[in-house]
Amino acid sequence: MKKIGFIGAYDKTDLLLYIAKILTRKGIRVIVADATITQKSRYSVPTITPSESYITEFEGVDVAVGFNSIEKLKQYKGVEDESRMNYDYMLVDTDSYAGVVNYNIQTAEKIYFVSSFDAYSLKRGIEILKKIEAPLNMTKIFYSRRLAKEDEYFDYLALGAKVTWNEERLYFPLENGDQSVIMENERLEKIKLKGLSSEYKENLIYLVTDIESGLDKKQIRFLIKTL
């Protein structure tokens, strides 16, 4: 099982569910682990028997809620090794340094840093980065317009963080109406991609094929039209 880390204080729940939905439709076994303090998935992902910690299936995607470490999750699954969890990928969503450590994000196959440029998301995200001791490679995902001054501001705040940033960075424009589509999906308790902007969908295609390099972008683009 390969781990994919998504670090940052910005809300990443829906993004991970969309990625997981596409991967599962390609026959790839995925679990999304909500290792955030906010635990949004506890409220936005439907389940029949909620408890302090549980795994629920949502449109073919397993979602783990309430496990503060990979060890707790392994105990729940009754395995001693991550490779025996019967998944191809675990997408880990964390908004704290504790989550990074407790899920061993430093050993992840891919790591993405997700933020917008509001003060809370940006500064708390930077705070997490600066606590990480082992040098890591990460890809930036910004919910913002593509502005050079924002990139410069982020790089200034991130000075001192032990991170090597990949050249590729993704931008999800906030003004394209995607948030209203996401909120509607949450109300309907569905994972639907219809209605999302072309920019959002293209970013999903990039992320899915970056995570699973064997997938063809044209095939993923066609698949997304059906979801």
Side-chain angles (χ1 to χ4, degrees):
M1 181 186 73
K2 298 178 180 178
K3 272 185 296 184
I4 309 296
F6 291 81
I7 299 172
Y10 191 78
D11 175 20
K12 306 175 290 302
T13 304
D14 299 284
L15 175 63
L16 268 66
L17 289 174
Y18 295 158
I19 293 170
K21 176 68 176 289
I22 296 169
L23 289 171
T24 57
R25 288 294 294 270
K26 295 300 293 183
I28 298 169
R29 299 166 299 176
V30 182
I31 184 170
V32 174
D34 186 342
T36 64
I37 296 170
T38 54
Q39 292 280 285
K40 176 183 172 181
S41 59
R42 184 179 295 277
Y43 309 98
S44 61
V45 175
T47 184
I48 297 174
T49 56
S51 57
E52 183 177 348
S53 55
Y54 58 91
I55 296 177
T56 188
E57 187 272 334
F58 184 31
E59 295 194 18
V61 177
D62 278 4
V63 181
V65 183
F67 300 94
N68 61 12
S69 70
I70 187 69
E71 293 302 319
K72 295 289 186 182
L73 187 50
K74 287 192 295 185
Q75 289 174 17
Y76 182 90
K77 295 287 289 184
V79 299
E80 295 183 0
D81 190 271
E82 294 175 20
S83 63
R84 296 185 176 275
M85 290 183 67
N86 201 34
Y87 297 105
D88 299 306
Y89 287 98
M90 174 185 288
L91 310 184
V92 183
D93 180 2
T94 185
D95 58 0
S96 69
Y97 175 66
V100 172
V101 173
N102 293 341
Y103 273 83
N104 300 321
I105 300 299
Q106 61 271 21
T107 66
E109 189 83 4
K110 302 274 185 179
I111 308 174
Y112 303 94
F113 177 77
V114 185
S115 184
S116 71
F117 281 84
D118 68 276
Y120 173 79
S121 297
L122 190 59
K123 293 181 179 180
R124 181 169 170 78
I126 294 293
E127 183 179 70
I128 298 169
L129 291 180
K130 290 193 173 181
K131 289 181 179 179
I132 297 173
E133 297 180 357
L136 297 176
N137 291 326
M138 295 190 194
T139 299
K140 299 172 184 174
I141 299 177
F142 290 143
Y143 281 77
S144 172
R145 291 175 294 172
R146 187 188 297 264
L147 296 176
K149 63 180 181 180
E150 290 183 339
D151 285 347
E152 292 173 2
Y153 181 53
F154 175 83
D155 290 341
Y156 170 74
L157 291 179
L159 285 173
K162 295 179 181 178
V163 177
T164 299
W165 295 106
N166 296 322
E167 183 176 350
E168 183 66 42
R169 63 189 64 183
L170 303 183
Y171 293 85
F172 286 83
L174 291 171
E175 65 273 15
N176 281 3
D178 293 312
Q179 195 58 41
S180 61
V181 176
I182 292 169
M183 291 171 62
E184 180 69 9
N185 286 342
E186 291 176 358
R187 287 193 294 270
L188 296 174
E189 297 184 343
K190 298 289 185 181
I191 306 177
K192 296 175 63 178
L193 306 186
K194 184 177 180 179
L196 292 171
S197 67
S198 58
E199 290 90 346
Y200 198 111
K201 292 176 181 177
E202 286 300 313
N203 283 336
L204 286 176
I205 293 167
Y206 174 84
L207 288 167
V208 168
T209 55
D210 190 47
I211 291 169
E212 179 50 73
S213 60
L215 296 176
D216 180 77
K217 287 188 176 182
K218 290 183 179 179
Q219 291 180 359
I220 299 302
R221 190 171 287 111
F222 177 79
L223 173 62
I224 284 177
K225 292 179 180 179
T226 69
L227 298 178

